[in-house]
Amino acid sequence: HAKDCHRGTAICFAPEHEAQLRSHAVIEQALRSADLETEFSLVYQPIVDVAEDRVDAYEALARWTSPTIGTVSPGDFIVVAERSGLILDVTRALLRRALADMATWPAEVRLSFNLSAHDIASSACRADIMEIVRQSGIAPGRIIFELTETGLMRDLVDGRDALTELKALGVGLALDDFGTGYSSLSYVHKLPITKLKIDRSFVTNICEDTASLNVIRAIIDLCRNLGFDCVVEGVETVEQMLLLRSAGCRFMQGYLLQKPLPRDEIEALGGSRLPVASKPVRQLQPAI
Ligand code: C2E
Ligand code: MG
Ligand code: MG
Ligand code: MG
């Protein structure tokens, strides 16, 4: 099994071994001994401004291939990193790398970087993050930190103060996976955020279900009223994209527009101009 399955130098395990191999304890052990510089990489997925036909930002997404347990998805290793306290080391290493990667990007293209609520929980950790930003020489206005709703909700008051401190640096702040937590609408205006990212679960069946589209419309409206940017995640089909555009959605992200790609591949695609895979945005303008 493992013999026929080569993905780069990664080792692929037979599915029956996977559950056991990927238990939290095993992931944690591999993470403790991981070389963050060589085993971790970043891929970038554009957030596309469909009104202006350009890339507004690239979101950095972490990838990990361990020499002992193979490729582990961020959905699995981020949780383990948070629980074990290793997340800060991962965050620091990846943030440094993403900011270094940005050096060759056009100045109008921003970086969207996922932070864990754990990363901003202590003032010492926030200071580290801010210091990394300062040392990079990248203008803070070109950086957006994404935090998930669920993570922030664990302690709203502290979370708010932590965000306020980060924001003072001049970075943008996005509430990620919006709509998957609870009581969102009752607190969202109290957070010092600049952007909402509507979770992809709302997009999945907008073509069949008008209620989902109405929810997205309502959130877009809310964002307009509160002065937030609004991004819809998980756009996979041309039909979804056209429907979202007619609902007033300006910023989109998803496999239709571009899958996450390594740094050299996004550079080859030409910076802020739309990548090849997003051609449908331009080609499928509704006929007038
Ligand atoms: P996220 O920040 O909400 O990122 C979006 C996830 O959806 C990514 O999964 C992306 O590859 C995937 N995606 C993008 N477009 C589509 C689409 O059209 N259809 C579908 N089905 N999926 C799409 P990924 O890379 O596996 O990351 C999962 C989550 O792990 C992220 O969700 C984020 O919360 C977390 N994560 C990833 N990298 C980091 C990191 O460096 N630090 C932290 N703290 N969390 C990270
Ligand atoms: Mg994100
Ligand atoms: Mg998201
Ligand atoms: Mg998500």
Side-chain angles (χ1 to χ4, degrees):
H1 222 121
K3 235 171 67 185
D4 332 310
C5 179
H6 298 288
R7 212 197 288 152
T9 53
I11 304 153
C12 297
F13 295 92
E16 61 269 27
H17 296 147
E18 207 153 288
Q20 193 199 339
L21 281 165
R22 307 279 165 96
S23 74
H24 280 190
V26 170
I27 293 173
E28 184 177 331
Q29 198 190 7
L31 197 55
R32 282 195 189 283
S33 58
D35 179 343
L36 296 176
E37 298 306 322
T38 58
E39 295 176 32
F40 280 77
S41 60
L42 286 172
V43 286
Y44 295 96
Q45 186 180 35
I47 295 166
V48 176
D49 177 344
V50 296
E52 293 192 4
D53 222 20
R54 56 176 287 274
V55 174
D56 177 62
Y58 282 105
E59 179 177 2
L61 295 162
R63 296 291 177 262
W64 178 32
T65 300
S66 153
T68 50
I69 62 168
T71 298
V72 187
S73 74
D76 292 330
F77 70 74
I78 295 291
V79 180
V80 174
E82 287 176 344
R83 287 186 191 164
S84 59
L86 295 165
I87 187 73
L88 255 180
D89 294 325
V90 174
T91 300
R92 280 190 289 245
L94 294 179
L95 181 58
R96 274 193 202 97
R97 198 162 340 155
L99 292 170
D101 285 353
M102 266 186 101
T104 57
W105 298 1
E108 69 274 16
V109 178
R110 301 188 288 169
L111 169 75
S112 218
F113 189 90
N114 294 286
L115 288 178
S116 156
H118 293 249
D119 289 324
I120 63 163
S122 89
S123 59
C125 306
R126 291 195 295 280
D128 277 2
I129 291 167
M130 295 193 276
E131 187 54 27
I132 290 169
V133 170
R134 278 190 210 101
Q135 281 178 359
S136 74
I138 299 282
R142 293 181 64 198
I143 302 166
I144 301 140
F145 287 126
E146 299 189 6
L147 286 125
T148 63
E149 192 181 22
T150 321
L152 283 176
M153 274 307 287
R154 272 178 251 154
D155 200 333
L156 179 59
V157 176
D158 291 351
R160 190 163 59 203
D161 292 348
L163 290 180
T164 303
E165 192 182 311
L166 273 185
K167 199 182 174 188
L169 192 67
V171 299
L173 296 174
L175 194 54
D176 203 354
D177 298 347
F178 183 71
T180 56
Y182 49 92
S183 70
S184 322
L185 296 180
S186 63
Y187 73 86
V188 75
H189 65 284
K190 294 181 180 159
L191 294 172
I193 54 170
T194 59
K195 181 189 261 192
L196 281 189
K197 296 188 77 178
I198 304 177
D199 192 68
R200 69 163 181 271
S201 55
F202 290 95
V203 179
T204 315
N205 50 16
I206 50 168
C207 294
E208 298 80 41
D209 170 21
T210 37
S212 302
L213 186 63
N214 285 336
V215 172
I216 290 181
R217 273 208 188 89
I219 300 174
I220 292 172
D221 251 27
L222 173 82
C223 287
R224 195 173 294 127
N225 290 330
L226 295 174
F228 299 159
D229 284 335
C230 185
V231 181
V232 179
E233 308 183 313
V235 181
E236 294 182 351
T237 69
V238 171
E239 292 73 21
Q240 290 171 343
M241 189 268 294
L242 291 174
L243 210 50
L244 287 165
R245 205 174 50 176
S246 71
C249 172
R250 176 171 171 193
F251 297 101
M252 299 185 201
Q253 194 175 18
Y255 293 161
L256 172 73
L257 299 144
Q258 187 76 58
K259 292 204 166 173
L261 293 173
R263 168 200 160 176
D264 48 335
E265 287 181 48
I266 59 164
E267 279 172 12
L269 286 170
S272 72
R273 295 323 303 167
L274 273 187
V276 178
S278 64
K279 264 192 184 137
V281 179
R282 279 167 295 180
Q283 286 173 353
L284 292 171
Q285 303 286 332
I288 303 168

